[in-house]
Amino acid sequence: GSDGGVTAAPADERMETVGEKWLFFDVDGTLVPFGENAAPSKRTLDALARARARGHKVFLCTGRTRCDIGPGLLCFDVDGVISGAGARIEMGGVCLRAKPLPLTLLRRTAAQILRRHVSCILEGTYGFYYVGEGGERMPWDFPRIRRAGEITRAMSVEKFTAHTVSEAEFAPLAAWLAPWYDIYARPDGRFFEMVRKGQDKAAAIRWLCQRFDVDKADVFAFGDSANDLPMLRAAGMGVVMGSAPLSVRREAALITGAVEEEGVATALERLGLA
C-alpha cells in the first residue's frame, strides 16, 4: 500500500538481482511474531534456503542477546548472527567481535536505575539480570542486582530494557541515559530499549562489510521497528514490514506484508533473491 509518500512497487513487478548479496533480518516482528521463540513459517524458511542456494549470505540481525535466540529461531542455516542490537557479531559459529557495555558505564547506569526506581532488565550474552524496582513488577525470575557493585565483567551485558507504567516514570532516567545510549520507545510509552551510542545494528553491518569488502549496494536489510532504522539506512535496499510504524515505513525502499502475511518471503521473491 502507500501512505506518507511511500509507494510500494506493484505486487507483480519482479526485480532482477545480480551477484552475491548480504541479507540482514531483524527477528521480532520481521521473521517471527514479537517475543516468540517459534521458528519462522515454512514459506519463510523455504525462501531463505533458496536465497542461500543462490549464493546470497543470510544473517540474523536482532536486538536479542545470544542467550535469547532459542533453537526454534536457529532451526535453519544462517551465515552469521548479529545479536545484542549490534554488540556481538558471529560468522560460521565463530565470534568475530564482542562489545559488551563497559563495566564502569554499566555500574554508573545501574546506580541511576536503582536511584530512580525503574524496573529494568540487563541483557547479557549468557543471561539476563533484574535491576531496579518501579511501578511495573516483572514476572521473570532473573538474578537480582541490588547494588551497582554486584555487576561483573563476566555478566557480559550488551544492552538493557526498561519496563514502566508510563512514559513519565521513565523520563528522569531517560534524561540521564540520553548522552550514552540510543533510546528506542515502543509507541505505548511503557517499554524502552537502550543501545550504546555508535554500537547499533548499522555499526555491526558496516564493520562486517568493511572486513569482507562488501559494497553497500549489495546489502539488503529487513526490519519493522525504530531500532531497525540505522540498519535500514546502512543497507543499499531497506525492506520494511507492513506492520511497521509510519516513521519506519517512510524510510523504506520497499514495503512488504506483515509477518502473518509472509512479508519476508514475498519480498525475497519480488527482489529476485529467492
Side-chain angles (χ1 to χ4, degrees):
S2 70
D3 64 39
V6 178
T7 310
D12 55 357
E13 191 179 290
R14 290 283 185 274
M15 307 180 192
E16 204 41 62
T17 307
V18 182
E20 179 190 276
K21 308 299 177 193
W22 286 41
L23 318 178
F24 295 88
F25 297 89
D26 169 57
V27 168
D28 292 285
T30 301
L31 285 179
V32 296
F34 262 94
E36 290 194 16
N37 272 309
S41 73
K42 184 177 185 314
R43 191 173 156 209
T44 300
L45 292 173
D46 287 349
L48 292 168
R50 289 202 307 275
R52 289 189 81 235
R54 294 190 62 167
H56 304 309
K57 297 249 187 289
V58 168
F59 293 81
L60 297 186
C61 191
T62 176
R64 296 184 187 218
T65 55
R66 200 63 182 77
C67 65
D68 198 27
I69 303 173
L73 281 171
L74 279 181
C75 68
F76 62 103
D77 290 330
V78 294
D79 295 282
V81 178
I82 293 173
S83 52
R88 185 178 174 89
I89 304 172
E90 290 175 36
M91 241 182 123
V94 177
C95 180
L96 300 185
R97 190 179 82 150
K99 287 198 167 258
L101 295 172
L103 189 58
T104 308
L105 172 62
L106 184 56
R107 284 178 173 172
R108 286 178 60 205
T109 301
Q112 293 292 328
I113 291 169
L114 289 160
R115 183 178 301 157
R116 294 168 199 276
H117 304 290
V118 176
S119 300
C120 292
I121 300 292
L122 306 181
E123 301 185 13
T125 313
Y126 315 106
F128 285 9
Y129 306 90
Y130 196 158
V131 63
E133 183 94 69
E136 185 67 34
R137 298 295 166 91
M138 292 183 284
W140 309 298
D141 193 22
F142 301 135
R144 186 178 279 281
I145 307 290
R146 299 192 186 276
R147 290 180 303 105
E150 294 171 8
I151 297 171
T152 66
R153 205 167 256 113
M155 291 176 180
S156 189
V157 174
E158 297 173 357
K159 52 173 278 231
F160 64 101
T161 55
H163 305 252
T164 63
V165 290
S166 68
E167 209 162 338
E169 183 186 24
F170 182 66
L173 178 61
W176 187 90
L177 296 172
W180 314 103
Y181 300 95
D182 289 322
I183 301 173
Y184 299 104
R186 289 246 178 97
D188 65 6
R190 297 185 57 189
F191 176 88
F192 303 86
E193 181 181 32
M194 273 56 70
V195 176
R196 192 178 177 208
K197 282 190 183 296
Q199 205 170 286
D200 56 16
K201 293 180 178 186
I205 289 173
R206 284 194 296 267
W207 184 90
L208 259 182
C209 291
Q210 203 170 349
R211 173 155 177 172
F212 292 96
D213 199 23
V214 178
D215 199 282
K216 178 178 175 174
D218 293 325
V219 174
F220 289 64
F222 299 72
D224 74 303
S225 303
N227 70 357
D228 295 318
L229 280 172
M231 166 176 88
L232 294 162
R233 293 171 188 144
M237 166 72 73
V239 180
V240 171
M241 307 300 280
S243 53
L246 178 59
S247 58
V248 181
R249 293 201 309 273
R250 275 202 182 108
E251 301 213 27
L254 177 72
I255 296 173
T256 187
V259 182
E260 297 76 12
E261 300 165 327
E262 301 288 2
V264 165
T266 305
L268 288 171
E269 288 157 9
R270 276 177 59 192
L271 290 166
L273 295 163

